[in-house]
Amino acid sequence: MGLPSESQGNRSEDEAFPDDEVVGIRGNVKNRSSQALGRAVPKVVDITGETVQQNFEEFLQQFVEEPNPSNAVPSSALSATNKYYVAQIHGLCLYNLSTLYVDYRHLASMHNGTLAAAITENYYRFLPFLTRGLHNMIAKFEPQYFRDHRQPGGSSTQGSAPSASGASQSESQGGKTTNQQTDKLFSLAFYNLPLVSRLRHLRTSSIGQLLAVSGTVTRTSEVRPELFLATFTCEACRTVISNVEQTFRYSEPTQCPNLTCGNRVGWRLDIRQSTFVDWQKVRIQENSSEIPTGSMPRTMDVILRGEIVDRAKAGEKCIFTGALIVVPDVSQLGLPGVRPEALRDTRNAPRTGDIGGGGVSGLKSLGVRDLTYRLAFLACMVTPDTSTAGSGPNQPLNGQVNNILTSLNQTAGSDPSDTSDQLQEAFLDSLTRSEIADLRKMVHMDHIYSRLVNSIAPMVYGHEIVKKGILLQLMGGVTKATAEGMQLRGDINICIVGDPSTSKSQFLKYVCSFLPRAVYTSGKASSAAGLTAAVVKDEETGEFTIEAGALMLADNGICAIDEFDKMDLVDQVAIHEAMEQQTISIAKAGIQATLNARTSILAAANPVGGRYNRRTTLRANINMSAPIMSRFDLFFVILDECDEKTDRNLAQHIVNVHRLRDEAVQPEFTTEQLQRYIRFARTFKPVFTPEAKALLVEKYKELRVDDAQGGIGRNSYRITVRQLESMIRLSEAIAKANCVDDITPAFVVEAFHLLRQSIISVEKDDVEVDDEEEVEQLQDVRGSSDQAAGQDEDTEMEDQEETEEAAGGPQQQSSEQPPQSGQQPSSSGAAQRTKITYDKYMSMLNELARRVNEDETSSGRGVEEKDLVMWYLEQHEAELSSEQDLEREKELVAKVIKRLVKDNILMPIRGEGLLDDDDDADRDSDGDGRASNRATPGHVAAQAAGNTRVVYVLHPNCAVEDM
């Protein structure tokens, strides 16, 4: 047979005739004999893989869910068959899905675990066989669904010969549908593996095995299309090559299959006939509890495909199931401006111009650059990790076909438009029968609110009020949106202020270990960008991207900030917006974005002087600005006060914890029960009853009135409308904790008490109202009387002894009566000083100043002392029960007026000749009490000065508006 003649004209673009062969390198007789052309190469069959495929198909067809008395009804009973995975295949068609979820525990129970062991050891090798088995099962039980979404590898007619027409071309490509690039790629997802590995323990020996890895997601890429199976057209001979699998990079055919075409480089991708799949890259980091001492956390890239993209959000703890793979380190190969070539290393050359330098760094620049690979993880399943620190990983998926997707999404934030009934139904679908029974028992318990409080942070002794606040913070209020689109936050922010060693940080650590989505930061070590969001350059694309900060990572969770008072003021300002509007706005490096930060903030702060000073305000005790203080719903002030009983109980508790560890504390509910109850309670959306609304308004008015009357700076902070919203949120959280839909007045009262106790009243010293001149004169009088009494002391002692002997015992002297109220007992040598409490002094100050101000504004004249005293006594007539009380109060008012003059609240105006004789006679002939009142040295001096009339007016420096 001679060589066919080669045409000299241009080849036809439309259609190639079968007898037109292009003679190239491969068509040369010298290179290939005619016998070799006709000889078929035998196909290598992986017998082990075929056996695994048969066993896997048998497992999918025959597995029946074990009837467990404590479990829910087998979900396969909901469909026509009792076969677990057959029912799930029908579910794929019903819900238009493409992933079959396989419970590894089911796999391990079949064939004595040999099938599970084979899949675990050689997962990457057997994956094509397992997928082919899945295709056969779908084609068997749902043939129409499989035909509509025909898989490229699902048919035996995988043609590779060149085609002549469009019809024959589509037949030869395994019967692809016209919209092949959007077809479903049926895949398998394994979950509930018995062993969950740590990132730090992954080695090259694990490559290709089925593994489960736990980590915290730190960054997610956008979802992009990945070329999964490509169809290429040869540029030389128009041969179509279909189903070229891509191996983590753009892979072209090595050579044209046409025997007479030698093309190796000229390929055109046929996008219409290629298959694309969703692709996402997620970066995970070691969990904070797994990092060894002194080590940096390790990170790894995880590749997600198909339906499991967007399952992992930044900040979540997740368990990824899949295989460990090796990929070229693209970021090292593509560094801009550095070419891998031999260069003389002059970076560390000395300035003397030594010619030697560092030599030629050939291998470093050439060989190692090309051999840089790194490990990545190809995941087939993502499940939330709800385990707590110190316990094993927890994958809460108990295989139920009808609710597997519900279980996957149970940690996702709820849609605000969903009703509470829908949310409760969705949550209950993800639980087993025994869990639902346990939950129902908890909901119907008596006093569930106080029982939950006792189960919060059981290792911390006491502090019931703080545990109440933390429980309500875990519950949260109801987030609402107005018609204009404004968001009203439902998250509760709490600040714990206290002395050292009052277990503030223990509460924060407990919350972070209890919640699956919580972030712990320290104030001094956190910057504004680290708390909110930072703009960084992506190492692969070179574009600016947003890296989430602590508040974004704690979205729909709690951000615990320790040492809040040590934060710089600039960094505190950065979280203003996140605490009230619950968003973070960024305008940096050409990126304008508003990001969600729907997080509750739990802050702990130390007082300024190290210990809390009861005599100053809360604002003076902590280094915070007024705007940020008003954004906290609750302040808890923990004081380290000495009390013998409390100290003994606390010491016993701590010693027991060190001695017995976990046995020392037996909380009523376990952590899992508490987490389940809180997740269920958060689905409620309670509303106020009309009575509760009216009471809420009354309580708010009461708080405002107390704030106004407390004097200048008496309260911890000013009561604003934000405190009213705090009461609303707390009432909603208490209703959620009780799992009810209506907020009753009792819940409002409880919220009011919580808010009230956080408004610490400032303790003030008692006020002395004695005049200094009076005290000195009284001391002189007391001293002279003591000297006179000293001479008769011996005689009195003898007489007293004789009297006691005659009476048979010491007589009870009438002088042993307790001292009168408002006065301190004094020794014989010191003058008796009159002291009243700060509260009483401030109330008297307000009343007297208000009366003087009214008279001054109405008549233009001040008030005389006699009228002022009589007016005050009339106001408090009901409180005075006897004549002694009246006299004592009258004397006290006169002293307080003198003190007000000294404090520049009132100002006396004296004038001569203003008194009439009758008035003077009336004043002098006042009753005995009045005469005794005038007998004070101050009044004696005033009378000695002549007929002087004293009128009191407000001092010019007195701030009337603060009264």
Side-chain angles (χ1 to χ4, degrees):
M1 184 178 76
L3 292 174
S5 61
E6 183 176 357
S7 169
Q8 297 296 324
N10 291 330
R11 285 196 295 265
S12 166
E13 289 288 329
D14 299 327
E15 198 172 312
F17 291 99
D19 56 345
D20 274 358
E21 283 193 339
V22 181
V23 180
I25 306 168
R26 297 178 65 190
N28 236 331
V29 180
K30 294 175 185 172
N31 293 345
R32 185 176 299 188
S33 64
S34 58
Q35 290 84 7
L37 289 172
R39 188 187 303 146
V41 180
K43 187 178 181 182
V44 179
V45 179
D46 188 348
I47 301 172
T48 315
E50 298 289 344
T51 312
V52 167
Q53 178 181 336
Q54 289 174 8
N55 286 332
F56 186 66
E57 289 181 20
E58 181 188 333
F59 160 73
L60 290 182
Q61 286 187 79
Q62 297 181 356
F63 182 80
V64 180
E65 195 174 358
E66 294 278 336
N68 188 352
S70 68
N71 208 338
V73 241
S75 47
S76 10
L78 302 174
S79 56
T81 174
N82 65 341
K83 303 287 193 295
Y84 185 89
Y85 291 102
V86 174
Q88 201 174 339
I89 288 173
H90 292 313
L92 291 184
C93 176
L94 181 64
Y95 298 113
N96 201 23
L97 301 174
S98 64
T99 305
L100 185 81
Y101 298 98
V102 179
D103 193 336
Y104 187 84
R105 294 177 299 190
H106 297 169
L107 205 59
S109 66
M110 298 283 289
H111 305 99
N112 295 324
T114 50
L115 177 61
I119 291 176
T120 305
E121 288 299 318
N122 298 293
Y123 170 73
Y124 201 69
R125 169 187 169 190
F126 293 144
L127 184 59
F129 295 97
L130 298 177
T131 309
R132 200 180 306 153
L134 173 65
H135 291 167
N136 293 341
M137 288 298 99
I138 297 176
K140 178 177 180 181
F141 293 106
E142 288 289 345
Q144 185 60 43
Y145 185 63
F146 184 68
R147 206 173 296 118
D148 292 344
H149 303 281
R150 192 67 172 274
Q151 292 299 303
S155 171
S156 58
T157 58
Q158 292 188 17
S160 58
S163 54
S165 66
S168 62
Q169 178 178 330
S170 85
E171 286 170 8
S172 67
Q173 288 178 25
K176 292 184 181 181
T177 53
T178 52
N179 54 344
Q180 177 62 35
Q181 65 264 35
T182 58
D183 261 359
K184 295 192 181 308
L185 287 164
F186 294 110
S187 58
L188 288 161
F190 295 90
Y191 63 94
N192 279 341
L193 264 69
L195 181 67
V196 178
S197 307
R198 296 182 176 184
L199 284 184
R200 198 171 283 271
H201 297 163
L202 297 181
R203 297 289 182 268
T204 50
S205 58
S206 307
I207 291 174
Q209 296 180 356
L210 184 64
L211 297 169
V213 174
S214 173
T216 305
V217 180
T218 57
R219 189 194 293 185
T220 58
S221 74
E222 58 196 17
V223 177
R224 304 189 192 122
E226 182 193 24
L227 184 61
F228 185 71
L229 291 169
T231 298
F232 289 99
T233 305
C234 174
E235 294 277 16
C237 65
R238 297 290 183 274
T239 301
V240 176
I241 305 171
S242 59
N243 303 336
V244 179
E245 192 171 346
Q246 304 295 302
T247 56
F248 306 112
R249 59 188 181 86
Y250 183 63
S251 308
E252 293 181 337
T254 51
Q255 198 167 10
C256 180
N258 187 358
L259 300 182
T260 57
C261 177
N263 178 30
R264 290 173 180 268
V265 288
W267 304 102
R268 189 174 80 242
L269 176 67
D270 187 355
I271 292 180
R272 196 172 61 83
Q273 297 294 338
S274 300
T275 307
F276 291 85
V277 66
D278 287 331
W279 178 93
Q280 186 184 30
K281 190 172 77 172
V282 170
R283 175 163 297 175
I284 62 171
Q285 181 178 297
E286 271 184 301
N287 296 324
S288 55
S289 57
E290 299 171 358
I291 303 172
T293 310
S295 299
M296 292 290 289
R298 301 269 172 92
T299 59
M300 179 174 282
D301 287 338
V302 177
I303 296 168
L304 307 178
R305 280 179 176 159
E307 287 181 349
I308 62 167
V309 297
D310 266 350
R311 284 268 176 85
K313 307 285 190 305
E316 288 179 351
K317 276 176 66 179
C318 294
I319 294 175
F320 298 88
T321 309
L324 197 64
I325 56 174
V326 175
V327 293
D329 198 348
V330 185
S331 61
Q332 293 294 323
L333 289 173
L335 285 178
V338 181
R339 292 177 59 203
E341 59 187 5
L343 293 171
R344 184 178 294 276
D345 187 5
T346 57
R347 285 172 297 183
N348 298 321
R351 292 191 177 185
T352 54
D354 185 10
I355 304 173
V360 177
S361 57
L363 181 66
K364 186 174 180 183
S365 293
L366 286 172
V368 183
R369 281 297 277 289
D370 297 339
L371 298 176
T372 304
Y373 293 91
R374 59 193 170 95
L375 291 174
F377 197 79
L378 181 65
C380 64
M381 182 67 173
V382 180
T383 54
D385 184 3
T386 58
S387 62
T388 56
S391 64
N394 181 20
Q395 303 182 66
L397 295 186
N398 297 306
Q400 297 178 38
V401 179
N402 61 329
N403 62 12
I404 183 102
L405 287 175
T406 311
S407 302
L408 294 178
N409 298 324
Q410 63 189 4
T411 56
S414 59
D415 187 3
S417 60
D418 289 347
T419 64
S420 57
D421 292 339
Q422 291 172 328
L423 295 172
Q424 287 162 29
E425 186 180 347
F427 173 69
L428 291 175
D429 277 348
S430 67
L431 301 180
T432 61
R433 174 75 61 84
S434 59
E435 290 172 342
I436 292 175
D438 183 44
L439 187 63
R440 183 180 290 116
K441 183 177 148 196
M442 285 179 70
V443 169
H444 293 299
M445 277 183 180
D446 293 332
H447 311 295
I448 182 64
Y449 177 56
S450 55
R451 291 181 173 193
L452 290 172
V453 170
N454 292 332
S455 298
I456 293 274
M459 285 292 176
V460 179
Y461 175 78
H463 298 317
E464 300 291 327
I465 199 82
V466 183
K467 293 181 180 180
K468 273 186 186 178
I470 289 176
L471 174 67
L472 297 184
Q473 187 177 36
L474 291 170
M475 296 289 176
V478 180
T479 305
K480 309 174 191 72
T482 62
E484 297 85 17
M486 286 175 58
Q487 293 285 337
L488 301 176
R489 72 176 164 102
D491 295 310
I492 296 171
N493 298 325
I494 293 179
C495 183
I496 305 175
V497 183
D499 296 337
S501 79
T502 47
S503 65
K504 298 186 297 295
S505 299
Q506 291 299 322
F507 282 119
L508 271 62
K509 288 285 187 187
Y510 170 79
V511 168
C512 289
S513 65
F514 178 84
L515 263 191
R517 197 175 178 99
V519 177
Y520 181 89
T521 63
S522 182
K524 197 62 181 173
S526 304
S527 64
L531 281 173
T532 53
V535 174
V536 294
K537 184 173 280 191
D538 190 13
E539 55 189 32
E540 290 187 4
T541 61
E543 298 175 353
F544 285 107
T545 58
I546 294 175
E547 181 125 8
L551 292 175
M552 279 179 64
L553 292 178
D555 194 21
N556 289 316
I558 289 181
C559 181
I561 306 176
D562 206 355
E563 310 291 349
F564 194 74
D565 55 311
K566 313 288 190 306
M567 282 178 68
D568 295 334
L569 204 59
V570 182
D571 301 332
Q572 278 190 11
V573 170
I575 64 174
H576 275 201
E577 181 190 2
M579 287 182 72
E580 193 60 43
Q581 275 72 44
Q582 300 209 302
T583 55
I584 293 170
S585 301
I586 277 188
K588 296 178 186 174
I591 294 177
Q592 278 87 29
T594 300
L595 313 164
N596 284 326
R598 295 156 297 194
T599 174
S600 306
I601 287 183
L602 178 62
N606 282 323
V608 171
R611 298 186 76 84
Y612 193 88
N613 184 5
R614 293 291 296 263
R615 305 197 185 283
T616 58
T617 60
L618 178 67
R619 172 79 190 283
N621 266 294
I622 51 178
N623 186 20
M624 275 192 218
S625 60
I628 213 159
M629 282 183 67
S630 70
R631 281 169 164 81
F632 280 108
D633 297 287
L634 288 175
F635 272 94
F636 293 116
V637 177
I638 309 177
L639 301 176
D640 184 14
E641 293 177 322
C642 296
D643 178 63
E644 185 184 353
K645 184 180 177 185
T646 309
D647 291 346
R648 187 192 302 114
N649 293 337
L650 179 60
Q652 283 178 349
H653 173 81
I654 292 175
V655 170
N656 286 338
V657 167
H658 280 271
R659 192 166 60 93
L660 305 172
R661 305 290 167 85
D662 290 347
E663 286 76 22
V665 179
Q666 297 293 338
E668 187 171 358
F669 303 125
T670 63
T671 303
E672 288 76 20
Q673 286 177 306
L674 212 55
Q675 287 176 331
R676 198 181 307 128
Y677 185 89
I678 287 175
R679 283 214 307 274
F680 176 67
R682 285 177 71 99
T683 60
F684 284 85
K685 294 187 176 180
V687 293
F688 280 88
T689 59
E691 299 83 15
K693 282 183 188 173
L695 185 63
L696 193 68
V697 175
E698 289 300 318
K699 293 296 183 186
Y700 174 64
K701 283 163 62 180
E702 189 178 326
L703 281 176
R704 286 287 285 185
V705 169
D706 287 354
D707 190 25
Q709 286 184 352
I712 309 164
R714 280 305 310 284
N715 283 342
S716 321
Y717 52 87
R718 295 303 302 270
I719 302 297
T720 61
V721 184
R722 279 192 177 137
Q723 274 63 51
L724 173 62
E725 291 185 336
S726 300
M727 280 173 64
I728 294 174
R729 281 191 285 270
L730 291 171
S731 305
E732 291 169 345
I734 294 169
K736 282 185 176 183
N738 289 282
C739 285
V740 294
D741 287 318
D742 292 326
I743 300 171
T744 61
F747 298 158
V748 177
V749 171
E750 172 69 18
F752 172 74
H753 288 318
L754 265 176
L755 194 66
R756 189 69 180 269
Q757 64 79 34
S758 69
I759 305 168
I760 297 281
S761 289
V762 181
E763 285 190 356
K764 294 285 188 180
D765 290 329
D766 291 341
V767 181
E768 289 187 14
V769 291
D770 282 324
D771 195 5
E772 292 296 328
E773 297 175 5
E774 295 180 24
V775 174
E776 289 174 5
Q777 293 184 18
L778 283 173
Q779 281 177 341
D780 294 342
V781 173
R782 181 68 56 86
S784 59
S785 63
D786 284 348
Q787 286 177 2
Q791 298 170 357
D792 303 329
E793 190 173 344
D794 296 337
T795 315
E796 286 180 5
M797 289 288 288
E798 290 169 4
D799 295 344
Q800 188 176 358
E801 285 171 6
E802 289 172 4
T803 316
E804 286 177 2
E805 286 170 5
Q811 282 187 334
Q812 292 296 323
Q813 301 293 329
S814 61
S815 62
E816 288 183 3
Q817 291 176 350
Q820 294 174 344
S821 66
Q823 298 178 348
Q824 305 290 336
S826 60
S827 63
S828 59
Q832 188 174 357
R833 293 171 176 262
T834 309
K835 286 188 178 180
I836 58 173
T837 62
Y838 184 83
D839 283 340
K840 177 156 188 182
Y841 174 71
M842 289 305 294
S843 68
M844 292 177 74
L845 180 153
N846 281 321
E847 286 187 59
L848 295 172
R850 198 180 304 125
R851 167 64 204 267
V852 172
N853 186 41
E854 287 172 2
D855 272 34
E856 198 176 339
T857 51
S858 61
S859 64
R861 296 183 301 173
V863 189
E864 289 190 42
E865 183 179 5
K866 180 180 80 169
D867 300 337
L868 197 56
V869 172
M870 292 309 295
W871 173 83
Y872 181 83
L873 293 175
E874 287 169 4
Q875 299 298 316
H876 295 269
E877 190 176 356
E879 302 168 12
L880 305 174
S881 56
S882 64
E883 196 173 339
Q884 285 85 0
D885 290 344
L886 178 70
E887 296 302 325
R888 197 161 51 243
E889 195 72 16
K890 187 188 291 185
E891 188 174 341
L892 186 62
V893 176
K895 289 183 177 181
V896 168
I897 292 175
K898 293 276 189 298
R899 174 67 192 240
L900 295 182
V901 172
K902 184 180 173 185
D903 288 348
N904 290 340
I905 305 292
L906 300 180
M907 187 170 67
I909 298 177
R910 292 181 175 84
E912 295 185 11
L914 297 177
L915 281 167
D916 297 334
D917 293 340
D918 298 339
D919 292 343
D920 197 13
D922 289 343
R923 273 181 66 178
D924 291 339
S925 62
D926 215 351
D928 292 339
R930 188 62 180 161
S932 68
N933 191 24
R934 287 294 180 196
T936 59
H939 284 90
V940 172
Q943 287 178 355
N947 293 333
T948 307
R949 181 181 175 190
V950 181
V951 177
Y952 288 103
V953 295
L954 279 182
H955 197 280
N957 293 339
C958 175
V960 186
E961 59 274 2
D962 285 340
M963 296 296 174

